[in-house]
Every structure is written in structure tokens, then in C-alpha cells.
Amino acid sequence: MQSLGVPLMAQLCLVFGVAGLFWPEKFVAVFDVLMFPWPASHRTIRANSIASIILSLLLFVSMLARVH
């Protein structure tokens, strides 16, 4: 069960990153709560989505490095 932690985290980061890029208007309500003092905009949602995709790629590379 421990071997599923990193792949599951990589998949979740990738899913939320791509969803934030395709449908930023659906994530505005979530980011309004998460970024309380600052208003959420499509620009911040896209920036966080790109960062999430980069994180998923880094997790994938770490999985490959662990295998070889």
C-alpha cells in the first residue's frame, strides 16, 4: 500500500492541474476560500495549475529514478 503513495499524488496533481487549465471558472470558488485575503482570478488559477503539472512531472521523474 505504501508503494501507491507517490503515483497517486502524481496523478492527483496532474488531474487538478489539467482541470484548472481547461475549466478555471469552476475552480474560482475553491481558490476564493484557499487564498482568503486575495481575490482569486483566472490568472492565479492557471499559475497554480501549471505549478501542479510541474509537480506531477517531478514526482514522475522521482518514481523513474527510484526504479532504475
Side-chain angles (χ1 to χ4, degrees), residues 18-68:
V18 171
L21 285 177
F22 284 140
W23 304 288
E25 63 275 354
K26 296 190 187 235
F27 284 92
V28 170
V30 174
F31 276 88
D32 275 339
V33 173
L34 291 176
M35 300 174 54
F36 167 63
W38 302 282
S41 67
H42 290 270
R43 180 184 230 178
T44 58
I45 294 171
R46 283 193 184 108
N48 283 312
S49 296
I50 291 170
S52 179
I53 291 171
I54 291 170
L55 178 64
S56 73
L57 290 175
L58 288 173
L59 288 171
F60 179 70
V61 168
S62 74
M63 285 184 341
L64 285 179
R66 220 183 281 165
V67 171
H68 294 297

